[in-house]
Amino acid sequence: MNNLGQKVIYQIYPKSFYDSNGDGVGDIPGIIQKLDYIKKLNVDMIWFNPFFVSPQNDNGYDIADYYKIDPRFGTMADFEELVKKLKEINVGVMLDMVLNHCSTENIWFKKALAGDEKYRKFFYLRKAKPDGSLPNNWQSKFGGPAWAKFGDTDYYYLHLYDPTQADLDWHNPEVRKELFKVINFWRSKGVHGFRFDVINVTGKAEKLIDSTDPVEEKSLYTDTPVVHKYLKEMNAATFGQDPDSVTVGEMSSTTIPNSIEYSKPSEHELSMVFTFHHLKVDYKDGQKWTKTPFDFMKLKKLFTEWQEKMDQGGGWNALFWNNHDQPWALNRFGDTGKYREKSAEMLATATHLMRGTPYIYMGEEIGMMDPHYSSMKNYVDVEAKNAYQELLQEGKSQEEAFEIVKTKARDNSRVPMHWNDEKYAGFSQVKPWLMPTDQDKINVENELTHGEIFDYYQKLIKLRKSEKLISDGHIKMFLKDDPQIFAYARYLDDSDHKLLVFTNFYGEGCCAELPKEYQNKKYKVLISNYDEQSDKLDALISLKPYEVLAVVID
Ligand code: NOJ
């Protein structure tokens, strides 16, 4: 498994990392200029969000040419230099493969529109129902119907996302062949890592029938058995031939049994899965565009189920709080005020010491948080704009709708990286595509001179490489009913040698009785975000606000 358990992956959203050419948009030469910073973290691989040619209707997840770098991000020569420079510091490249859909600007879609039979079969083209209504009642994940008119024809094409992102018909072997060619092209450039965008929706039901409710609707195109077949085929035809490959599938609304199959080495599908259940614990009635505090007990239950069952089944999780689709975890599960640093460290520990591969989203290591925008004009994401309109249509006032968008918009984490306290946060010399806020306090320069979060992340990353209990250990949760503490044990065998991790998710101190087996044990502190005094666990554990304590007992 090429030491998967020891790896830590950093995510860069290229549009927002560093603008080297003064156009307000980040670029590949900009990333190259910041490699010294990345080197300090000692991560193993970097996942780059898509920088292929794209009209950017969904910020690069609408690919018009899979083989070219979009000029706004640089050239192929820049990319090759990036791979080379990263290799020199022992960091691999993970590319984002958006293979469920392509842009309607893609040559495949254009040829289909021009009537080329071969390419018409690349897409889901269906006629309206006899009554003139759309081919089925599926909804796009970005709002509105999932069908759009196919040029001037009688047909409609399926788009589970934006109308400019046409779903590719994976049932057609020609499509799979073309997509596997794309992966192999990038492998030939020295790429060993691949993140597969919404890969578990590629096996739509053969008959695209109407759904009776939203849950059933998802089941008509999510996690169908054929997805496993396609992944095995993709693995054999591409990265499976590379012993150094690291792959992750973004699995929308998936299940544990499916995730085990997706990520168990003997299944030859992927190395690991991104799942999102733990990031829906602040959705009211399962709806994203709502505002409600997070449900801690639900969060614990989800972590417990996913961690323990994936362990028992031999699957492998990607561990993360943040990415380019999520508002900052610090705003959702931590404290953006008095305990910003302590809560950032607590959240990092909770995931980094679990079983799986941790991902750090750029800016997380300096404690970045949601921007303070005051108007819808500040937001650019198609999803946020659609959601705002839908909330108004549902009868919400402009203020109510805005409050919700503010807490849920994907733009929150897409704000440019704060390098220093300048007007544009040292990201660019000109007005960036999204404006930073709070850079006067939270920025790389400040963090590296007087902050404690970055330093703490460095320690966590180092520990994963040196402690077998972290990289290889099994996991078992305890204190399951405690309303404030999330705790787990990592172990390699039946012996007493264990790593115990305690995290206090709240801004008040707390205390709990330890399970008998851990009482009165001598320990060695692996990491903590407060100064520790004792070297022994008593019958009780007490934790300060957002305190973390990770100890090894024998
Ligand atoms: C998931 C990506 O992370 C997100 O940014 C994108 O909008 C959708 N997939 C569609 O590609």
Side-chain angles (χ1 to χ4, degrees), residues 377-501:
K377 290 206 189 81
N378 295 114
Y379 293 86
V380 300
D381 185 24
V382 49
E383 190 200 31
K385 289 181 176 173
N386 290 349
Y388 180 71
Q389 290 309 329
E390 282 186 9
L391 288 165
L392 293 183
Q393 277 156 26
E394 279 167 23
K396 295 258 182 312
S397 69
Q398 289 188 352
E399 291 70 33
E400 286 166 336
F402 182 63
E403 271 313 301
I404 294 176
V405 168
K406 224 175 143 175
T407 44
K408 292 293 164 81
R410 303 190 296 181
D411 292 306
N412 280 314
S413 56
R414 297 178 180 184
V415 164
M417 182 81 175
H418 295 178
W419 294 101
N420 59 34
D421 62 2
E422 286 167 15
K423 189 167 167 203
Y424 302 134
F427 162 74
S428 176
Q429 292 309 309
V430 302
K431 190 167 181 239
W433 71 282
L434 262 185
M435 277 300 279
T437 66
D438 284 321
Q439 71 273 26
D440 54 331
K441 295 185 288 295
I442 304 165
N443 64 61
V444 170
E445 244 173 58
N446 258 353
E447 179 62 31
L448 295 183
T449 41
H450 3 262
E452 56 174 62
I453 308 175
F454 188 91
D455 182 62
Y456 192 88
Y457 268 83
Q458 282 178 316
K459 286 190 186 133
L460 281 174
I461 296 166
K462 203 163 161 207
L463 279 175
R464 181 161 278 274
K465 301 190 188 314
S466 60
E467 270 300 330
K468 234 175 166 328
L469 281 166
I470 302 175
S471 57
D472 296 16
H474 295 291
I475 189 159
K476 199 165 170 32
M477 276 49 184
F478 60 95
L479 297 181
K480 287 187 188 171
D481 297 323
D482 191 278
Q484 223 172 304
I485 302 174
F486 174 55
Y488 51 87
R490 305 287 313 272
Y491 59 97
L492 290 160
D493 48 37
D494 290 340
S495 75
D496 277 351
H497 182 57
K498 286 191 174 66
L499 164 68
L500 304 184
V501 181

Side-chain angles (χ1 to χ4, degrees), residues 47 49 58 61 98 101 142 161 165 195 197-198 250 324-325 410 414:
W47 156 27
N49 293 93
D58 184 22
Y61 283 91
V98 189
H101 44 264
F142 289 164
Y161 295 88
Q165 293 167 296
R195 178 246 186 207
D197 190 64
V198 292
E250 188 203 23
H324 64 292
D325 289 332
R410 303 190 296 181
R414 297 178 180 184

